[in-house]
Amino acid sequence: MSTGSLRKHDKFRSRILRSARDIVVYLPPGYEEQAQRRFPVLYLQDGQNLFDGATSYIPGMYWRVGETTDHLIAAGTIQPLIIVGIYNAGVRRVREYTPTNIPRIGGGQAGRYLRMLTEELMPFIETQYRVLSGPAHTGFGGSSLGGLLTLFAGLRFPHVFGRLAALSPSVWWGHQWIHEFAARADVSPRPRIWLDIGTQESARIVREVERLRNLLIEKGWTPEQDLHFEIIDRGEHNEAAWAQRVGPFLQFLFPAGDSAI
């Protein structure tokens, strides 16, 4: 089986955030040989936890994104795609991944983080790699606070991000602020959304994510057409659990033969 390759961009600097972070890019098998072909792109948060257990901030536990994507491309079940892993900024992670500020906790810089992504990082990636443009070809994903950020990004910029992977999203943040935002958001076009939660993440959190699922359906999303919701039996809130969901969410968001891609 042929495998994809990884390229690293160290200390990508953002003027908007006034900080730098590493970026790792997965290129699908055959990328170099298909010089005229362009590929859909998926931007994933917590990039150090995606491809290598040695870089993960939980040593040895990572999402196995490269291995899983290689396998699915070889099996012909997903479109070949480019995946951009954006390292989190350590102590600034909570600030950058959250849309509102909580007293004594902080946060509230997600809007600026998304400006960094859309105004700085995405143009950079588009000059370096052969990516397709438009929401049908552009995904965004993350887990926990990264899942919250994913939902915020897709609901705020549906004309940019058309395919969302929100794993174990922290919908509790800010007294369920994301529910209020989703209820009032005018979302067009509607992105395709993978939404999940594990039973080991507390019954309260499961109910809150179910509530968000119901709200999305009320706003026009259709289950298994542009919305997949799943409660993972015995699913936990960690990298090993999320690694098991990479294959399923890639197949839902970027299926082979999808005429929209």
Side-chain angles (χ1 to χ4, degrees), residues 154-182:
L155 296 172
R156 182 171 178 177
F157 298 116
H159 57 290
V160 177
F161 305 111
R163 297 170 190 265
L164 310 177
L167 284 66
S168 304
S170 299
V171 297
W172 53 267
W173 181 270
H175 302 289
Q176 296 86 49
W177 179 90
I178 194 66
H179 292 87
E180 300 172 17
F181 183 76

Side-chain angles (χ1 to χ4, degrees), residues 14-19 95-96 98 108-120 152 156:
S14 167
R15 292 182 178 180
I16 293 171
L17 295 176
R18 298 177 184 173
S19 63
R95 183 189 315 168
E96 293 182 351
T98 54
Q109 295 298 313
R112 289 183 64 190
Y113 181 87
L114 293 177
R115 279 190 59 209
M116 177 277 290
L117 197 78
T118 57
E119 298 176 24
E120 297 176 326
F152 178 56
R156 182 171 178 177

Side-chain angles (χ1 to χ4, degrees), residues 182-245:
R184 66 176 185 268
D186 181 12
V187 185
S188 180
R190 283 193 299 271
R192 183 181 297 185
I193 301 176
W194 170 283
L195 178 66
D196 70 30
I197 191 70
T199 58
Q200 298 299 104
E201 300 183 65
S202 91
R204 179 179 64 86
I205 295 295
V206 171
R207 288 194 300 270
E208 290 175 354
V209 178
E210 282 185 304
R211 179 183 161 209
L212 180 63
R213 182 272 313 269
N214 294 340
L215 192 156
L216 292 173
I217 292 173
E218 290 173 6
K219 291 181 71 70
W221 271 265
T222 301
E224 300 317 314
Q225 181 175 313
D226 54 8
L227 173 64
H228 176 90
F229 172 69
E230 188 168 345
I231 298 175
I232 312 296
D233 185 37
R234 294 188 294 276
E236 299 179 345
H237 196 87
N238 58 39
E239 314 309 314
W242 298 322
Q244 296 179 12
R245 306 177 203 173

